[in-house]
Amino acid sequence: HNNTEPNLYNLNRMIDLTVADKKRKAEDEEFVSSKSNKTEDESDDEDGEMHIYDTCDEIRRKIRRLLAEGTKITPWLREIGGINSNSYQRFMKLKGPLSGCENGLYKAAYVYFERKRIAEGKKKTKKRLECEAAFPNGYSTVAERGVWCTNGYTPTVDSIGRVSIVPNEYL
């Protein structure tokens, strides 16, 4: 075998990889363009960030319902933005309306469920409207790391994530 002749196996493999790369790139471009096509209900702020109006607990509830309907988690995570299954596991183990807001799954799943709601022509829920009123700019995707309060008071968080400082005698 002469070293100057191309190895037929390697050449065929390079061609197959090039075709696969082109296909993957086309799928990625299609995915990105589908993400940028916003509906009229998807409000953005001045930075182009989408406002999120569901709590983390609400997103977890919607994911559980989706799985109960027979959706397979791995393809769904790939579809909504290539979310890692470890991120999914961490997010789903948390409890609380604001717990997990920094996880990439939170925003990706919100976008998925919001688009699904709009496509199905469903109205906003009472809880959703309450969240919009309480948080006009939507929920933050940055975790809050504590609240300062004086002795004799305790911070509490309600079901939609509003933080209140209450005297200990009311707990």
Side-chain angles (χ1 to χ4, degrees), residues 125-169:
T125 64
K126 182 180 173 186
K127 187 171 185 176
R128 162 69 185 265
L129 294 172
E130 184 182 0
C131 291
E132 285 183 17
F135 299 95
N137 294 323
Y139 287 101
S140 174
T141 55
V142 177
E144 299 294 328
R145 297 289 177 208
V147 176
W148 288 92
C149 58
T150 62
N151 201 9
Y153 289 84
T154 302
T156 62
V157 180
D158 70 6
S159 65
I160 66 166
R162 288 181 289 214
V163 178
S164 301
I165 308 295
V166 297
N168 289 343
E169 65 251 20

Side-chain angles (χ1 to χ4, degrees), residues 70-138:
T71 300
K72 300 294 182 200
I73 192 63
T74 304
W76 181 74
L77 290 173
R78 196 175 310 121
E79 175 190 338
I80 66 169
I83 303 297
N84 184 301
S85 63
N86 291 331
S87 292
Y88 164 77
Q89 293 294 335
R90 279 192 303 274
F91 181 77
M92 296 303 286
K93 286 179 185 176
L94 298 171
K95 288 179 175 35
L98 303 176
S99 298
C101 65
E102 70 282 352
N103 190 306
L105 174 61
Y106 175 54
K107 185 173 182 178
Y110 175 80
V111 170
Y112 171 84
F113 289 120
E114 183 63 6
R115 287 186 175 175
K116 182 179 177 190
R117 179 190 69 78
I118 293 166
E120 293 172 353
K122 293 183 178 178
K123 295 187 183 276
K124 296 175 184 177
T125 64
K126 182 180 173 186
K127 187 171 185 176
R128 162 69 185 265
L129 294 172
E130 184 182 0
C131 291
E132 285 183 17
F135 299 95
N137 294 323

Side-chain angles (χ1 to χ4, degrees), residues 19-72:
V19 170
D21 288 343
K22 286 180 181 176
K23 182 179 177 186
R24 190 176 307 110
K25 183 177 180 184
E27 288 171 354
D28 289 347
E29 287 172 356
E30 180 181 328
F31 177 78
V32 168
S33 70
S34 73
K35 291 287 187 193
S36 62
N37 296 333
K38 294 196 180 343
T39 62
E40 73 281 351
D41 243 13
E42 294 179 22
S43 59
D44 292 340
D45 64 14
E46 57 278 352
D47 295 333
E49 285 291 313
M50 174 181 261
H51 297 293
I52 299 176
Y53 294 108
D54 278 339
T55 65
C56 294
D57 282 341
E58 183 69 13
I59 295 296
R60 283 187 276 273
R61 188 186 65 73
K62 289 178 179 183
I63 291 171
R64 286 186 190 102
R65 187 175 45 200
L66 188 70
L67 297 178
E69 294 170 357
T71 300
K72 300 294 182 200

